[in-house]
PDB file of all heavy atoms in Angstrom:
ATOM      1  N   ILE P 491      24.858 -11.561 -49.313  1.00 98.00           N
ATOM      2  CA  ILE P 491      24.807 -12.351 -48.087  1.00 98.00           C
ATOM      3  C   ILE P 491      24.151 -13.684 -48.434  1.00 98.00           C
ATOM      4  O   ILE P 491      23.168 -13.730 -49.182  1.00 98.00           O
ATOM      5  CB  ILE P 491      23.950 -11.610 -47.018  1.00 98.00           C
ATOM      6  CG1 ILE P 491      24.519 -10.207 -46.732  1.00 98.00           C
ATOM      7  CG2 ILE P 491      23.814 -12.429 -45.756  1.00 98.00           C
ATOM      8  CD1 ILE P 491      25.905 -10.167 -46.149  1.00 98.00           C
ATOM      9  N   LEU P 492      24.681 -14.761 -47.869  1.00 98.00           N
ATOM     10  CA  LEU P 492      24.063 -16.077 -48.106  1.00 98.00           C
ATOM     11  C   LEU P 492      22.726 -16.136 -47.362  1.00 98.00           C
ATOM     12  O   LEU P 492      22.649 -15.787 -46.183  1.00 98.00           O
ATOM     13  CB  LEU P 492      24.973 -17.205 -47.620  1.00 98.00           C
ATOM     14  CG  LEU P 492      24.444 -18.598 -47.977  1.00 98.00           C
ATOM     15  CD1 LEU P 492      24.790 -18.934 -49.418  1.00 98.00           C
ATOM     16  CD2 LEU P 492      25.007 -19.645 -47.050  1.00 98.00           C
ATOM     17  N   VAL P 493      21.680 -16.553 -48.052  1.00 98.00           N
ATOM     18  CA  VAL P 493      20.355 -16.732 -47.449  1.00 98.00           C
ATOM     19  C   VAL P 493      19.890 -18.163 -47.721  1.00 98.00           C
ATOM     20  O   VAL P 493      20.358 -18.802 -48.668  1.00 98.00           O
ATOM     21  CB  VAL P 493      19.325 -15.707 -48.008  1.00 98.00           C
ATOM     22  CG1 VAL P 493      19.714 -14.289 -47.642  1.00 98.00           C
ATOM     23  CG2 VAL P 493      19.160 -15.841 -49.516  1.00 98.00           C
ATOM     24  N   GLY P 494      18.991 -18.655 -46.891  1.00 96.00           N
ATOM     25  CA  GLY P 494      18.413 -19.974 -47.131  1.00 96.00           C
ATOM     26  C   GLY P 494      19.321 -21.139 -46.785  1.00 96.00           C
ATOM     27  O   GLY P 494      19.052 -22.267 -47.169  1.00 96.00           O
ATOM     28  N   GLY P 495      20.373 -20.892 -46.033  1.00 95.00           N
ATOM     29  CA  GLY P 495      21.271 -21.972 -45.633  1.00 95.00           C
ATOM     30  C   GLY P 495      21.977 -21.628 -44.344  1.00 95.00           C
ATOM     31  O   GLY P 495      22.096 -20.456 -43.971  1.00 95.00           O
ATOM     32  N   ASP P 496      22.412 -22.634 -43.643  1.00 94.00           N
ATOM     33  CA  ASP P 496      23.205 -22.475 -42.422  1.00 94.00           C
ATOM     34  C   ASP P 496      22.541 -21.544 -41.412  1.00 94.00           C
ATOM     35  O   ASP P 496      23.208 -20.741 -40.771  1.00 94.00           O
ATOM     36  CB  ASP P 496      24.618 -22.007 -42.771  1.00 94.00           C
ATOM     37  CG  ASP P 496      25.616 -22.417 -41.691  1.00 94.00           C
ATOM     38  OD1 ASP P 496      25.541 -23.563 -41.232  1.00 94.00           O
ATOM     39  OD2 ASP P 496      26.455 -21.581 -41.316  1.00 94.00           O
ATOM     40  N   GLY P 497      21.230 -21.615 -41.300  1.00 95.00           N
ATOM     41  CA  GLY P 497      20.492 -20.832 -40.305  1.00 95.00           C
ATOM     42  C   GLY P 497      20.258 -19.386 -40.676  1.00 95.00           C
ATOM     43  O   GLY P 497      19.819 -18.601 -39.838  1.00 95.00           O
ATOM     44  N   GLN P 498      20.521 -18.980 -41.907  1.00 97.00           N
ATOM     45  CA  GLN P 498      20.382 -17.584 -42.306  1.00 97.00           C
ATOM     46  C   GLN P 498      19.106 -17.353 -43.115  1.00 97.00           C
ATOM     47  O   GLN P 498      18.988 -17.820 -44.253  1.00 97.00           O
ATOM     48  CB  GLN P 498      21.623 -17.137 -43.089  1.00 97.00           C
ATOM     49  CG  GLN P 498      22.854 -17.135 -42.225  1.00 97.00           C
ATOM     50  CD  GLN P 498      24.083 -16.544 -42.870  1.00 97.00           C
ATOM     51  OE1 GLN P 498      25.119 -16.615 -42.263  1.00 97.00           O
ATOM     52  NE2 GLN P 498      24.034 -15.976 -44.054  1.00 97.00           N
ATOM     53  N   LEU P 499      18.164 -16.652 -42.496  1.00 97.00           N
ATOM     54  CA  LEU P 499      16.884 -16.269 -43.114  1.00 97.00           C
ATOM     55  C   LEU P 499      16.138 -17.467 -43.693  1.00 97.00           C
ATOM     56  O   LEU P 499      15.553 -17.391 -44.778  1.00 97.00           O
ATOM     57  CB  LEU P 499      17.090 -15.178 -44.166  1.00 97.00           C
ATOM     58  CG  LEU P 499      17.667 -13.856 -43.628  1.00 97.00           C
ATOM     59  CD1 LEU P 499      17.848 -12.851 -44.768  1.00 97.00           C
ATOM     60  CD2 LEU P 499      16.799 -13.266 -42.532  1.00 97.00           C
ATOM     61  N   LEU P 500      16.136 -18.553 -42.960  1.00 95.00           N
ATOM     62  CA  LEU P 500      15.481 -19.783 -43.427  1.00 95.00           C
ATOM     63  C   LEU P 500      13.971 -19.634 -43.557  1.00 95.00           C
ATOM     64  O   LEU P 500      13.354 -20.344 -44.344  1.00 95.00           O
ATOM     65  CB  LEU P 500      15.811 -20.942 -42.488  1.00 95.00           C
ATOM     66  CG  LEU P 500      17.283 -21.350 -42.455  1.00 95.00           C
ATOM     67  CD1 LEU P 500      17.506 -22.437 -41.407  1.00 95.00           C
ATOM     68  CD2 LEU P 500      17.755 -21.809 -43.819  1.00 95.00           C
ATOM     69  N   LYS P 501      13.359 -18.701 -42.818  1.00 93.00           N
ATOM     70  CA  LYS P 501      11.900 -18.565 -42.929  1.00 93.00           C
ATOM     71  C   LYS P 501      11.488 -17.866 -44.219  1.00 93.00           C
ATOM     72  O   LYS P 501      10.333 -17.891 -44.592  1.00 93.00           O
ATOM     73  CB  LYS P 501      11.307 -17.892 -41.701  1.00 93.00           C
ATOM     74  CG  LYS P 501      11.500 -16.422 -41.578  1.00 93.00           C
ATOM     75  CD  LYS P 501      10.832 -15.948 -40.283  1.00 93.00           C
ATOM     76  CE  LYS P 501      10.652 -14.463 -40.268  1.00 93.00           C
ATOM     77  NZ  LYS P 501       9.962 -14.019 -39.070  1.00 93.00           N
ATOM     78  N   TYR P 502      12.441 -17.254 -44.915  1.00 95.00           N
ATOM     79  CA  TYR P 502      12.135 -16.577 -46.171  1.00 95.00           C
ATOM     80  C   TYR P 502      12.657 -17.312 -47.405  1.00 95.00           C
ATOM     81  O   TYR P 502      12.123 -17.143 -48.492  1.00 95.00           O
ATOM     82  CB  TYR P 502      12.729 -15.167 -46.186  1.00 95.00           C
ATOM     83  CG  TYR P 502      12.192 -14.284 -45.081  1.00 95.00           C
ATOM     84  CD1 TYR P 502      12.970 -13.973 -43.974  1.00 95.00           C
ATOM     85  CD2 TYR P 502      10.905 -13.772 -45.145  1.00 95.00           C
ATOM     86  CE1 TYR P 502      12.475 -13.167 -42.964  1.00 95.00           C
ATOM     87  CE2 TYR P 502      10.407 -12.974 -44.144  1.00 95.00           C
ATOM     88  CZ  TYR P 502      11.197 -12.672 -43.053  1.00 95.00           C
ATOM     89  OH  TYR P 502      10.706 -11.883 -42.057  1.00 95.00           O
ATOM     90  N   PHE P 503      13.721 -18.092 -47.238  1.00 95.00           N
ATOM     91  CA  PHE P 503      14.365 -18.737 -48.378  1.00 95.00           C
ATOM     92  C   PHE P 503      14.540 -20.220 -48.086  1.00 95.00           C
ATOM     93  O   PHE P 503      15.045 -20.587 -47.031  1.00 95.00           O
ATOM     94  CB  PHE P 503      15.743 -18.095 -48.646  1.00 95.00           C
ATOM     95  CG  PHE P 503      15.652 -16.630 -48.936  1.00 95.00           C
ATOM     96  CD1 PHE P 503      15.742 -15.702 -47.914  1.00 95.00           C
ATOM     97  CD2 PHE P 503      15.451 -16.177 -50.230  1.00 95.00           C
ATOM     98  CE1 PHE P 503      15.646 -14.340 -48.178  1.00 95.00           C
ATOM     99  CE2 PHE P 503      15.355 -14.827 -50.502  1.00 95.00           C
ATOM    100  CZ  PHE P 503      15.449 -13.902 -49.472  1.00 95.00           C
ATOM    101  N   ASP P 504      14.139 -21.081 -49.035  1.00 91.00           N
ATOM    102  CA  ASP P 504      14.227 -22.518 -48.790  1.00 91.00           C
ATOM    103  C   ASP P 504      15.417 -23.177 -49.475  1.00 91.00           C
ATOM    104  O   ASP P 504      15.607 -24.378 -49.371  1.00 91.00           O
ATOM    105  CB  ASP P 504      12.918 -23.222 -49.164  1.00 91.00           C
ATOM    106  CG  ASP P 504      12.475 -22.922 -50.587  1.00 91.00           C
ATOM    107  OD1 ASP P 504      13.252 -22.303 -51.331  1.00 91.00           O
ATOM    108  OD2 ASP P 504      11.356 -23.303 -50.937  1.00 91.00           O
ATOM    109  N   SER P 505      16.237 -22.402 -50.171  1.00 95.00           N
ATOM    110  CA  SER P 505      17.467 -22.955 -50.740  1.00 95.00           C
ATOM    111  C   SER P 505      18.549 -21.869 -50.706  1.00 95.00           C
ATOM    112  O   SER P 505      18.248 -20.679 -50.697  1.00 95.00           O
ATOM    113  CB  SER P 505      17.246 -23.460 -52.167  1.00 95.00           C
ATOM    114  OG  SER P 505      16.857 -22.403 -53.009  1.00 95.00           O
ATOM    115  N   GLU P 506      19.791 -22.313 -50.687  1.00 97.00           N
ATOM    116  CA  GLU P 506      20.911 -21.378 -50.583  1.00 97.00           C
ATOM    117  C   GLU P 506      21.050 -20.521 -51.834  1.00 97.00           C
ATOM    118  O   GLU P 506      20.975 -21.017 -52.953  1.00 97.00           O
ATOM    119  CB  GLU P 506      22.222 -22.139 -50.372  1.00 97.00           C
ATOM    120  CG  GLU P 506      22.375 -22.697 -48.995  1.00 97.00           C
ATOM    121  CD  GLU P 506      23.763 -23.279 -48.753  1.00 97.00           C
ATOM    122  OE1 GLU P 506      24.645 -23.201 -49.639  1.00 97.00           O
ATOM    123  OE2 GLU P 506      23.967 -23.814 -47.657  1.00 97.00           O
ATOM    124  N   ALA P 507      21.248 -19.230 -51.596  1.00 98.00           N
ATOM    125  CA  ALA P 507      21.494 -18.272 -52.679  1.00 98.00           C
ATOM    126  C   ALA P 507      22.173 -17.059 -52.054  1.00 98.00           C
ATOM    127  O   ALA P 507      22.203 -16.904 -50.831  1.00 98.00           O
ATOM    128  CB  ALA P 507      20.186 -17.869 -53.351  1.00 98.00           C
ATOM    129  N   PHE P 508      22.705 -16.202 -52.907  1.00 98.00           N
ATOM    130  CA  PHE P 508      23.262 -14.930 -52.457  1.00 98.00           C
ATOM    131  C   PHE P 508      22.243 -13.834 -52.716  1.00 98.00           C
ATOM    132  O   PHE P 508      21.677 -13.751 -53.813  1.00 98.00           O
ATOM    133  CB  PHE P 508      24.551 -14.590 -53.201  1.00 98.00           C
ATOM    134  CG  PHE P 508      25.767 -15.310 -52.688  1.00 98.00           C
ATOM    135  CD1 PHE P 508      26.572 -16.015 -53.553  1.00 98.00           C
ATOM    136  CD2 PHE P 508      26.128 -15.251 -51.349  1.00 98.00           C
ATOM    137  CE1 PHE P 508      27.713 -16.659 -53.111  1.00 98.00           C
ATOM    138  CE2 PHE P 508      27.266 -15.887 -50.886  1.00 98.00           C
ATOM    139  CZ  PHE P 508      28.062 -16.590 -51.760  1.00 98.00           C
ATOM    140  N   ALA P 509      22.039 -12.966 -51.712  1.00 98.00           N
ATOM    141  CA  ALA P 509      21.119 -11.837 -51.840  1.00 98.00           C
ATOM    142  C   ALA P 509      21.877 -10.541 -51.591  1.00 98.00           C
ATOM    143  O   ALA P 509      22.626 -10.445 -50.617  1.00 98.00           O
ATOM    144  CB  ALA P 509      19.986 -11.968 -50.825  1.00 98.00           C
ATOM    145  N   PRO P 510      21.690  -9.513 -52.444  1.00 98.00           N
ATOM    146  CA  PRO P 510      22.332  -8.226 -52.187  1.00 98.00           C
ATOM    147  C   PRO P 510      21.822  -7.653 -50.858  1.00 98.00           C
ATOM    148  O   PRO P 510      20.619  -7.697 -50.579  1.00 98.00           O
ATOM    149  CB  PRO P 510      21.881  -7.345 -53.353  1.00 98.00           C
ATOM    150  CG  PRO P 510      21.352  -8.281 -54.381  1.00 98.00           C
ATOM    151  CD  PRO P 510      20.880  -9.500 -53.650  1.00 98.00           C
ATOM    152  N   ALA P 511      22.724  -7.119 -50.073  1.00 98.00           N
ATOM    153  CA  ALA P 511      22.359  -6.597 -48.746  1.00 98.00           C
ATOM    154  C   ALA P 511      21.234  -5.566 -48.826  1.00 98.00           C
ATOM    155  O   ALA P 511      20.327  -5.560 -47.992  1.00 98.00           O
ATOM    156  CB  ALA P 511      23.589  -6.010 -48.060  1.00 98.00           C
ATOM    157  N   LYS P 512      21.255  -4.709 -49.851  1.00 98.00           N
ATOM    158  CA  LYS P 512      20.224  -3.666 -49.928  1.00 98.00           C
ATOM    159  C   LYS P 512      18.830  -4.242 -50.153  1.00 98.00           C
ATOM    160  O   LYS P 512      17.836  -3.592 -49.849  1.00 98.00           O
ATOM    161  CB  LYS P 512      20.573  -2.635 -50.998  1.00 98.00           C
ATOM    162  CG  LYS P 512      20.495  -3.117 -52.424  1.00 98.00           C
ATOM    163  CD  LYS P 512      20.884  -1.985 -53.352  1.00 98.00           C
ATOM    164  CE  LYS P 512      20.795  -2.358 -54.805  1.00 98.00           C
ATOM    165  NZ  LYS P 512      21.144  -1.199 -55.652  1.00 98.00           N
ATOM    166  N   ALA P 513      18.735  -5.471 -50.625  1.00 98.00           N
ATOM    167  CA  ALA P 513      17.428  -6.103 -50.827  1.00 98.00           C
ATOM    168  C   ALA P 513      16.838  -6.611 -49.513  1.00 98.00           C
ATOM    169  O   ALA P 513      15.665  -6.958 -49.451  1.00 98.00           O
ATOM    170  CB  ALA P 513      17.552  -7.265 -51.807  1.00 98.00           C
ATOM    171  N   LEU P 514      17.653  -6.644 -48.457  1.00 98.00           N
ATOM    172  CA  LEU P 514      17.214  -7.186 -47.171  1.00 98.00           C
ATOM    173  C   LEU P 514      16.815  -6.100 -46.178  1.00 98.00           C
ATOM    174  O   LEU P 514      16.429  -6.405 -45.048  1.00 98.00           O
ATOM    175  CB  LEU P 514      18.343  -8.041 -46.561  1.00 98.00           C
ATOM    176  CG  LEU P 514      18.851  -9.187 -47.438  1.00 98.00           C
ATOM    177  CD1 LEU P 514      20.083  -9.833 -46.792  1.00 98.00           C
ATOM    178  CD2 LEU P 514      17.763 -10.211 -47.685  1.00 98.00           C
ATOM    179  N   THR P 515      16.864  -4.835 -46.583  1.00 97.00           N
ATOM    180  CA  THR P 515      16.689  -3.731 -45.637  1.00 97.00           C
ATOM    181  C   THR P 515      15.263  -3.545 -45.105  1.00 97.00           C
ATOM    182  O   THR P 515      15.063  -2.738 -44.205  1.00 97.00           O
ATOM    183  CB  THR P 515      17.178  -2.398 -46.248  1.00 97.00           C
ATOM    184  OG1 THR P 515      16.476  -2.158 -47.471  1.00 97.00           O
ATOM    185  CG2 THR P 515      18.675  -2.423 -46.494  1.00 97.00           C
ATOM    186  N   LYS P 516      14.319  -4.285 -45.604  1.00 94.00           N
ATOM    187  CA  LYS P 516      12.964  -4.205 -45.042  1.00 94.00           C
ATOM    188  C   LYS P 516      12.803  -5.162 -43.853  1.00 94.00           C
ATOM    189  O   LYS P 516      11.786  -5.150 -43.173  1.00 94.00           O
ATOM    190  CB  LYS P 516      11.922  -4.508 -46.119  1.00 94.00           C
ATOM    191  CG  LYS P 516      11.827  -3.371 -47.122  1.00 94.00           C
ATOM    192  CD  LYS P 516      10.602  -3.482 -47.990  1.00 94.00           C
ATOM    193  CE  LYS P 516      10.361  -2.218 -48.737  1.00 94.00           C
ATOM    194  NZ  LYS P 516      10.972  -2.050 -49.983  1.00 94.00           N
ATOM    195  N   LEU P 517      13.811  -5.996 -43.627  1.00 97.00           N
ATOM    196  CA  LEU P 517      13.767  -6.940 -42.514  1.00 97.00           C
ATOM    197  C   LEU P 517      14.257  -6.278 -41.227  1.00 97.00           C
ATOM    198  O   LEU P 517      15.098  -5.369 -41.272  1.00 97.00           O
ATOM    199  CB  LEU P 517      14.634  -8.168 -42.826  1.00 97.00           C
ATOM    200  CG  LEU P 517      14.198  -8.988 -44.034  1.00 97.00           C
ATOM    201  CD1 LEU P 517      15.205 -10.095 -44.312  1.00 97.00           C
ATOM    202  CD2 LEU P 517      12.804  -9.570 -43.814  1.00 97.00           C
ATOM    203  N   ALA P 518      13.744  -6.745 -40.107  1.00 96.00           N
ATOM    204  CA  ALA P 518      14.145  -6.205 -38.805  1.00 96.00           C
ATOM    205  C   ALA P 518      15.650  -6.370 -38.612  1.00 96.00           C
ATOM    206  O   ALA P 518      16.211  -7.421 -38.901  1.00 96.00           O
ATOM    207  CB  ALA P 518      13.395  -6.922 -37.689  1.00 96.00           C
ATOM    208  N   GLY P 519      16.289  -5.296 -38.136  1.00 97.00           N
ATOM    209  CA  GLY P 519      17.709  -5.355 -37.826  1.00 97.00           C
ATOM    210  C   GLY P 519      18.640  -5.148 -39.008  1.00 97.00           C
ATOM    211  O   GLY P 519      19.851  -5.268 -38.869  1.00 97.00           O
ATOM    212  N   ILE P 520      18.084  -4.826 -40.178  1.00 98.00           N
ATOM    213  CA  ILE P 520      18.912  -4.580 -41.367  1.00 98.00           C
ATOM    214  C   ILE P 520      18.462  -3.251 -41.963  1.00 98.00           C
ATOM    215  O   ILE P 520      17.290  -3.082 -42.280  1.00 98.00           O
ATOM    216  CB  ILE P 520      18.768  -5.713 -42.409  1.00 98.00           C
ATOM    217  CG1 ILE P 520      19.113  -7.066 -41.776  1.00 98.00           C
ATOM    218  CG2 ILE P 520      19.657  -5.426 -43.617  1.00 98.00           C
ATOM    219  CD1 ILE P 520      18.885  -8.259 -42.684  1.00 98.00           C
ATOM    220  N   ARG P 521      19.419  -2.304 -42.088  1.00 97.00           N
ATOM    221  CA  ARG P 521      19.037  -0.982 -42.579  1.00 97.00           C
ATOM    222  C   ARG P 521      20.207  -0.289 -43.264  1.00 97.00           C
ATOM    223  O   ARG P 521      21.361  -0.629 -43.039  1.00 97.00           O
ATOM    224  CB  ARG P 521      18.546  -0.107 -41.439  1.00 97.00           C
ATOM    225  CG  ARG P 521      19.630   0.201 -40.413  1.00 97.00           C
ATOM    226  CD  ARG P 521      19.145   1.154 -39.329  1.00 97.00           C
ATOM    227  NE  ARG P 521      20.123   1.352 -38.300  1.00 97.00           N
ATOM    228  CZ  ARG P 521      21.163   2.183 -38.376  1.00 97.00           C
ATOM    229  NH1 ARG P 521      21.352   2.892 -39.467  1.00 97.00           N
ATOM    230  NH2 ARG P 521      22.011   2.310 -37.378  1.00 97.00           N
ATOM    231  N   HIS P 522      19.861   0.688 -44.102  1.00 97.00           N
ATOM    232  CA  HIS P 522      20.867   1.566 -44.699  1.00 97.00           C
ATOM    233  C   HIS P 522      21.359   2.518 -43.618  1.00 97.00           C
ATOM    234  O   HIS P 522      20.584   2.973 -42.784  1.00 97.00           O
ATOM    235  CB  HIS P 522      20.279   2.384 -45.858  1.00 97.00           C
ATOM    236  CG  HIS P 522      20.081   1.595 -47.100  1.00 97.00           C
ATOM    237  ND1 HIS P 522      21.123   1.242 -47.930  1.00 97.00           N
ATOM    238  CD2 HIS P 522      18.978   1.077 -47.663  1.00 97.00           C
ATOM    239  CE1 HIS P 522      20.657   0.550 -48.953  1.00 97.00           C
ATOM    240  NE2 HIS P 522      19.353   0.430 -48.807  1.00 97.00           N
ATOM    241  N   MET P 523      22.628   2.839 -43.652  1.00 96.00           N
ATOM    242  CA  MET P 523      23.223   3.779 -42.707  1.00 96.00           C
ATOM    243  C   MET P 523      23.183   5.170 -43.339  1.00 96.00           C
ATOM    244  O   MET P 523      24.153   5.625 -43.931  1.00 96.00           O
ATOM    245  CB  MET P 523      24.641   3.338 -42.361  1.00 96.00           C
ATOM    246  CG  MET P 523      24.673   1.967 -41.713  1.00 96.00           C
ATOM    247  SD  MET P 523      26.350   1.424 -41.360  1.00 96.00           S
ATOM    248  CE  MET P 523      26.714   2.449 -39.934  1.00 96.00           C
ATOM    249  N   LYS P 524      22.044   5.829 -43.209  1.00 93.00           N
ATOM    250  CA  LYS P 524      21.792   7.092 -43.904  1.00 93.00           C
ATOM    251  C   LYS P 524      22.707   8.224 -43.447  1.00 93.00           C
ATOM    252  O   LYS P 524      22.991   9.135 -44.208  1.00 93.00           O
ATOM    253  CB  LYS P 524      20.330   7.500 -43.717  1.00 93.00           C
ATOM    254  CG  LYS P 524      19.369   6.511 -44.328  1.00 93.00           C
ATOM    255  CD  LYS P 524      17.946   6.863 -43.995  1.00 93.00           C
ATOM    256  CE  LYS P 524      17.029   5.759 -44.484  1.00 93.00           C
ATOM    257  NZ  LYS P 524      15.695   5.873 -43.935  1.00 93.00           N
ATOM    258  N   GLY P 525      23.175   8.197 -42.222  1.00 90.00           N
ATOM    259  CA  GLY P 525      23.987   9.289 -41.688  1.00 90.00           C
ATOM    260  C   GLY P 525      25.470   9.195 -41.993  1.00 90.00           C
ATOM    261  O   GLY P 525      26.223  10.101 -41.642  1.00 90.00           O
ATOM    262  N   LYS P 526      25.905   8.149 -42.641  1.00 89.00           N
ATOM    263  CA  LYS P 526      27.336   7.973 -42.935  1.00 89.00           C
ATOM    264  C   LYS P 526      27.802   8.990 -43.963  1.00 89.00           C
ATOM    265  O   LYS P 526      27.204   9.125 -45.022  1.00 89.00           O
ATOM    266  CB  LYS P 526      27.617   6.573 -43.483  1.00 89.00           C
ATOM    267  CG  LYS P 526      27.813   5.506 -42.450  1.00 89.00           C
ATOM    268  CD  LYS P 526      29.056   5.786 -41.688  1.00 89.00           C
ATOM    269  CE  LYS P 526      29.696   4.551 -41.155  1.00 89.00           C
ATOM    270  NZ  LYS P 526      30.789   4.887 -40.262  1.00 89.00           N
ATOM    271  N   ALA P 527      28.910   9.701 -43.659  1.00 92.00           N
ATOM    272  CA  ALA P 527      29.456  10.698 -44.578  1.00 92.00           C
ATOM    273  C   ALA P 527      30.551  10.119 -45.460  1.00 92.00           C
ATOM    274  O   ALA P 527      30.778  10.592 -46.567  1.00 92.00           O
ATOM    275  CB  ALA P 527      30.000  11.881 -43.791  1.00 92.00           C
TER     276      ALA P 527
END
């Protein structure tokens, strides 16, 4: 996911980069879907 640009997670990242989604799961509203079969 793009972070640090275009209004995405600007309070954590000050320049644009790609972050793996699983690295963001400690943030509010982002989680692993543990019940998916």
